[in-house]
Amino acid sequence: MRALSFGLLATAVSLGNVLGSAINDCAQVANSSIDLYTYTFPLVLMQATSNQTAQDGLSGVITQDPSNHLVVKINLDTSYVQGFFNLEKYSYTLTVPNHGSRYWIAQYLDAYSNTFADPGNRTLEDKPYTFGLIGPKGHRNFLPKNATVYESPTDMAWILGRVYQNGTTTDQEIVTDLIKQWVVTKYPLHSSKPISVTSTPIANGTAPSGSVAPLAAVTSLTTQEFFDTASQLMCDNQPAHADKKFLQKMSKDLGFKPCSKEAFKKPNFVYSCLLPNFTTTAVKTIAAEGVASAAAIMHDGWPVYTSGIGAYGTNFIFRAVVALVGLGANLAEDAVYPSATKTAAGVPLNTSQAYTLTFQKGDFPPVDAFWSITYYNAQNYLQPNTANVYALRSADPFTYNSNGSLTIFVQANAPSNSSFSKNWLPSQSNGTFTLTLRLYNPQQAILNGSWVPPPIIQSAQPI
Ligand SMILES: *[C@@H]1O[C@H](CO)[C@@H](O)[C@H](O)[C@H]1NC(C)=O
Ligand SMILES: *[C@@H]1O[C@H](CO)[C@@H](O)[C@H](O)[C@H]1NC(C)=O
Ligand SMILES: *[C@@H]1O[C@H](CO)[C@@H](O)[C@H](O)[C@H]1NC(C)=O
Ligand SMILES: *[C@@H]1O[C@H](CO)[C@@H](O)[C@H](O)[C@H]1NC(C)=O
Ligand SMILES: *[C@@H]1O[C@H](CO)[C@@H](O)[C@H](O)[C@H]1NC(C)=O
Ligand SMILES: *[C@@H]1O[C@H](CO)[C@@H](O)[C@H](O)[C@H]1NC(C)=O
Ligand SMILES: *[C@@H]1O[C@H](CO)[C@@H](O)[C@H](O)[C@H]1NC(C)=O
Ligand SMILES: *[C@@H]1O[C@H](CO)[C@@H](O)[C@H](O)[C@H]1NC(C)=O
Ligand SMILES: *[C@@H]1O[C@H](CO)[C@@H](O)[C@H](O)[C@H]1NC(C)=O
Ligand SMILES: *[C@@H]1O[C@H](CO)[C@@H](O)[C@H](O)[C@H]1NC(C)=O
Ligand SMILES: *[C@@H]1O[C@H](CO)[C@@H](O)[C@H](O)[C@H]1NC(C)=O
Ligand SMILES: *[C@@H]1O[C@H](CO)[C@@H](O)[C@H](O)[C@H]1NC(C)=O
């Protein structure tokens, strides 16, 4: 991996030298710089996220509430346990306790937001495990023999753990105790003698005051700061071999140099071709192309992604749009998250209306773990509401219809028949909103697209 990547850098730099004089077409620069932004956006967003997250160890967050704007589309089904690791000089192990048939997953992401390992209760037994984490320079032989070792393709790695909790105080206490037993041990690259052993502290669900949400941190960079940051991040986080062709094109079109203090060979020329609103345009392009790619797999208003998510290969636009709307998305085998912004009839979901969603008897989500449905406001955050209810979960004490089906009511006020109060998902923001269904450990029928979510239907009036 290392040798191939060095080869790629050499090629990119030499092409830049040879073809540097050809870079004189502003239209081409304007066009290709959007592609380069799309390619590097997840990398820079990962750094911004790491700036806001535990380093060199894990931190657990038990509660997720509307005040948490650290990530968009935060889930309410699991507590998070996460941290960023720099593998340039160290290797690590993570030991997890027996979670006792409770859903859990430890997702390992590289600097480009690709998932490279996903141990969890889908594939493992109910017992303690030790996982090793090494970077491109690390050696598995120095880690304990009982460790299953994962190799990160980049020096930056993010462990993003999730442990099921049902939202009650009792359950949160159980999960707090479990998460404190996620233990990280740090090793030098070439020694089996640990430097430190740390269990996971539990923090509050809110970001430190004064901190900027990662997405805002990225979009507030100037175009030059953005591309220089991206290029520098590519030293320790070398692009995959499969990206070579794309990077050669960037070298040819833009004079782009990975792993360089200045991203472009002729920066003045490149920046003179870009409009002042370049970043806004690039982000809008990512969002628009993402929506367009979602349209192809739309079912009754629900876009369902079941392939390519989580590990993106060279599908850079999909990687960028997923980073934009939900950095850290799981592989489909672990969880599928259909998100609807429109009714089955194609009309935007709007807080001025009332909606129902009915799972027919025998057609409940086919999952091996559990499912949930969460309400997000137009900014993809939780919206404070008078009932303090933000999500409904498969384990909730719902009231079923007499024919065995289950209707969920999405409306501003509780259903007038109080028997159905547990089926109510409050919609009290202002304007449009999103409903996200989360399907954990989805069965084959979800992965092959034969099961799709039921249509969201606008009611004539609130129920
Ligand atoms: C860039 O050019 C290609 C064709 O060369 C075109 O398909 C693409 O839409 C253009 N992208 C932008 C952002 O203009
Ligand atoms: C992350 O923090 C470093 C150090 O403060 C800063 O230089 C860098 O610009 C930040 N990255 C982003 C993407 O905000
Ligand atoms: C994984 O978690 C789900 C519930 O969340 C449980 O039904 C299942 O038995 C667990 N599997 C294992 C192997 O523990
Ligand atoms: C694996 O070995 C290490 C070092 O001896 C130990 O600390 C850890 O608890 C072991 N892991 C498991 C799952 O037994
Ligand atoms: C939540 O978990 C607690 C403790 O594990 C359990 O007693 C309770 O019944 C659960 N409630 C729901 C609604 O799942
Ligand atoms: C979490 O917040 C509560 C109240 O908001 C506060 O009492 C507590 O000290 C905080 N804990 C930590 C670890 O910051
Ligand atoms: C960026 O500025 C150009 C020229 O002023 C304008 O045509 C374009 O609509 C703007 N794009 C965005 C996304 O604001
Ligand atoms: C939402 O509904 C209100 C009131 O009917 C309407 O004014 C508004 O245009 C709607 N918004 C969208 C995005 O459809
Ligand atoms: C079962 O009843 C609910 C409402 O009570 C209705 O929406 C649903 O379509 C019915 N299912 C079937 C299969 O008739
Ligand atoms: C409320 O719903 C329950 C359960 O379906 C039903 O038995 C009851 O008759 C309903 N009450 C009214 C006032 O409609
Ligand atoms: C909803 O948004 C409109 C337009 O932005 C604003 O005039 C109105 O006051 C808002 N209503 C509430 C309840 O926030
Ligand atoms: C999808 O999976 C389901 C459940 O295993 C199976 O019944 C169905 O035939 C499969 N459909 C396709 C198109 O493979």
Side-chain angles (χ1 to χ4, degrees):
M1 166 63 74
R2 197 71 176 177
L4 290 175
S5 302
F6 275 128
L8 159 66
L9 288 183
T11 312
V13 170
S14 65
L15 268 178
N17 288 336
V18 172
L19 299 169
S21 58
I23 300 159
N24 56 13
D25 177 349
C26 261
Q28 183 66 60
V29 165
N31 183 320
S32 292
S33 53
I34 300 269
D35 295 339
L36 184 61
Y37 190 95
T38 301
Y39 178 83
T40 49
F41 175 75
L43 181 61
V44 181
L45 185 61
M46 283 287 282
Q47 192 200 37
T49 305
S50 114
N51 282 356
Q52 301 277 334
T53 310
Q55 302 287 330
D56 209 32
L58 298 170
S59 172
V61 177
I62 294 302
T63 54
Q64 289 105 41
D65 63 34
S67 68
N68 190 328
H69 286 189
L70 185 56
V71 292
V72 292
K73 294 236 174 107
I74 194 159
N75 89 65
L76 288 159
D77 311 319
T78 62
S79 288
Y80 287 101
V81 40
Q82 58 166 330
F84 276 79
F85 297 86
N86 184 341
L87 306 174
E88 192 190 351
K89 298 197 179 81
Y90 306 102
S91 300
Y92 296 84
T93 60
L94 164 65
T95 295
V96 299
N98 180 345
H99 292 82
S101 80
R102 183 180 286 270
Y103 176 90
W104 68 277
I105 182 170
Q107 183 187 7
Y108 286 66
L109 297 103
D110 71 18
Y112 294 86
S113 78
N114 287 306
T115 299
F116 61 88
D118 60 341
N121 105 321
R122 180 175 66 84
T123 50
L124 300 174
E125 295 167 40
D126 291 331
K127 59 176 199 182
Y129 283 92
T130 294
F131 310 110
L133 173 61
I134 62 174
K137 293 185 200 129
H139 288 286
R140 60 176 63 224
N141 295 351
F142 293 108
L143 295 179
K145 294 286 166 282
N146 65 359
T148 305
V149 180
Y150 304 123
E151 283 178 45
S152 173
T154 58
D155 279 348
M156 184 199 294
W158 185 17
I159 298 182
L160 179 48
R162 299 169 174 91
V163 181
Y164 176 77
Q165 59 130 316
N166 70 17
T168 64
T169 311
T170 323
D171 216 39
Q172 286 177 354
E173 280 166 10
I174 297 172
V175 172
T176 301
D177 186 52
L178 285 171
I179 285 180
K180 284 179 177 166
Q181 297 171 61
W182 286 44
V183 174
V184 169
T185 307
K186 180 178 181 177
Y187 295 85
L189 282 191
H190 300 115
S191 162
S192 48
K193 196 160 170 279
I195 298 171
S196 63
V197 180
T198 42
S199 51
T200 301
I202 306 295
N204 278 343
T206 48
S209 70
S211 62
V212 183
L215 181 57
V218 172
T219 54
S220 71
L221 295 175
T222 66
T223 305
Q224 180 159 6
E225 284 167 348
F226 176 89
F227 283 126
D228 288 349
T229 300
S231 179
Q232 284 156 35
L233 280 168
M234 288 163 90
C235 300
D236 291 340
N237 305 292
Q238 298 204 4
H241 186 56
D243 302 357
K244 181 174 172 174
K245 209 173 133 209
F246 173 80
L247 289 168
Q248 281 173 343
K249 183 173 189 308
M250 292 302 107
S251 171
K252 179 169 154 294
D253 293 356
L254 299 168
F256 176 66
K257 301 176 292 178
C259 184
S260 178
K261 202 152 173 296
E262 280 197 328
F264 300 109
K265 192 159 181 294
K266 298 203 289 182
N268 293 346
F269 178 71
V270 168
Y271 295 118
S272 76
C273 296
L274 305 181
L275 292 172
N277 63 9
F278 172 77
T279 300
T280 318
T281 308
V283 170
K284 279 193 173 164
T285 307
I286 291 170
E289 290 192 14
V291 168
S293 73
I297 44 170
M298 209 71 171
H299 297 281
D300 279 343
W302 292 97
V304 185
Y305 302 103
T306 55
S307 68
I309 197 161
Y312 306 91
T314 53
N315 194 347
F316 306 133
I317 179 66
F318 190 47
R319 187 174 77 181
V321 77
V322 172
L324 183 65
V325 301
L327 184 70
N330 275 301
L331 296 175
E333 302 91 281
D334 291 314
V336 171
Y337 316 124
S339 259
T341 56
K342 293 176 178 173
T343 64
V347 180
L349 299 173
N350 188 323
T351 47
S352 65
Q353 303 294 333
Y355 303 92
T356 63
L357 183 69
T358 299
F359 295 101
Q360 301 296 350
K361 185 182 181 188
D363 205 23
F364 284 54
V367 291
D368 286 331
F370 63 98
W371 58 267
S372 69
I373 182 163
T374 310
Y375 178 99
Y376 297 101
N377 67 19
Q379 286 73 44
N380 285 322
Y381 296 126
L382 300 174
Q383 176 72 31
N385 67 62
T386 50
N388 222 21
V389 170
Y390 307 99
L392 302 179
R393 306 171 178 87
S394 46
D396 284 350
F398 294 120
T399 298
Y400 293 82
N401 300 318
S402 52
N403 65 11
S405 65
L406 167 64
T407 299
I408 285 170
F409 302 95
V410 185
Q411 54 189 41
N413 298 309
S416 53
N417 183 337
S418 62
S419 300
F420 289 99
S421 62
K422 296 288 186 205
N423 301 18
W424 175 42
L425 189 55
S427 125
Q428 295 177 358
S429 61
N430 189 3
T432 57
F433 63 91
T434 299
L435 295 178
T436 296
L437 194 57
R438 286 187 170 81
L439 310 165
Y440 291 88
N441 293 352
Q443 292 173 2
Q444 193 53 34
I446 293 174
L447 294 174
N448 75 13
S450 65
W451 184 90
V452 291
I456 298 166
I457 295 171
Q458 188 174 319
S459 315
Q461 59 191 47
I463 309 287

